[in-house]
Amino acid sequence: MALNEIDTDHLRSAVGVARHARINGNHPFGAVLADATGAEVLAAENSVVTGRDATGHAETNLVRQASVRFAPEELAECTLYTSTEPCAMCSGAIYWSGIGRVVFAMSEAELRSMTEANPENPTLALPCREVFARGQREIVVDGPVDLPEARAAHVGFWN
């Protein structure tokens, strides 16, 4: 699926949430959920540090909210936008939630090159497409999308 202006706007919103996470003392990751009409219905930031929860990634936090609020058939029509490609854990959560589409800005590989060996982010070299491909249902994935502000949210954070 080709990205449109609405997709780019939602990605920028996810990056804004990532900047907020950093200001709040967390890792700079953010995610938003848009419904079938394209309306942004939820947002979640990373809460690993302040929540003292290793699973408090932006996407898993968003999936928890979305799973309570929306029926599975609604989630199938939703798109999750995220500032950085979902990790393996988040990809699993997205898969199990039933969300139908994922759009991300910065790739996991680019993040890994920025974080290097930082113990706060022992990034797995496992693209979300690879995780989703092992499942029994299709998830449409668009990304990486070149948004300089997505990289900027991480500059100086990991060193």
Side-chain angles (χ1 to χ4, degrees), residues 85-88 91 94 102 104 108 126-133 141:
E85 181 174 5
C87 72
S91 296
I94 293 164
V102 172
F104 64 89
E108 186 78 11
L126 185 59
C128 68
R129 283 180 175 89
E130 209 171 306
V131 175
F132 296 147
V141 178

Side-chain angles (χ1 to χ4, degrees), residues 33 63 66 75-76 78-80 94-95 97-102 137 139:
L33 188 72
V63 164
L75 289 174
C78 286
T79 300
L80 187 151
I94 293 164
Y95 175 81
S97 75
I99 292 170
R101 181 176 177 231
V102 172
R137 69 176 187 83
I139 297 175

Side-chain angles (χ1 to χ4, degrees), residues 111-131:
L111 174 66
R112 190 177 174 127
S113 73
M114 291 182 85
T115 63
E116 297 175 347
N118 189 304
E120 294 241 352
N121 194 44
T123 306
L124 296 169
L126 185 59
C128 68
R129 283 180 175 89
E130 209 171 306
V131 175

Side-chain angles (χ1 to χ4, degrees), residues 35-106:
D35 67 14
T37 70
E40 190 174 308
V41 293
L42 290 174
E45 63 184 54
N46 181 288
S47 61
V48 167
V49 177
T50 59
R52 298 181 52 98
D53 178 0
T55 67
H57 293 194
E59 299 90 344
T60 55
N61 289 338
L62 187 78
V63 164
R64 285 183 195 106
Q65 292 177 47
S67 296
V68 170
R69 184 166 169 188
F70 299 103
E73 55 276 4
E74 292 174 297
L75 289 174
E77 300 297 318
C78 286
T79 300
L80 187 151
Y81 296 87
T82 183
S83 60
T84 307
E85 181 174 5
C87 72
M89 175 185 69
C90 292
S91 296
I94 293 164
Y95 175 81
W96 289 108
S97 75
I99 292 170
R101 181 176 177 231
V102 172
V103 181
F104 64 89
M106 197 166 71

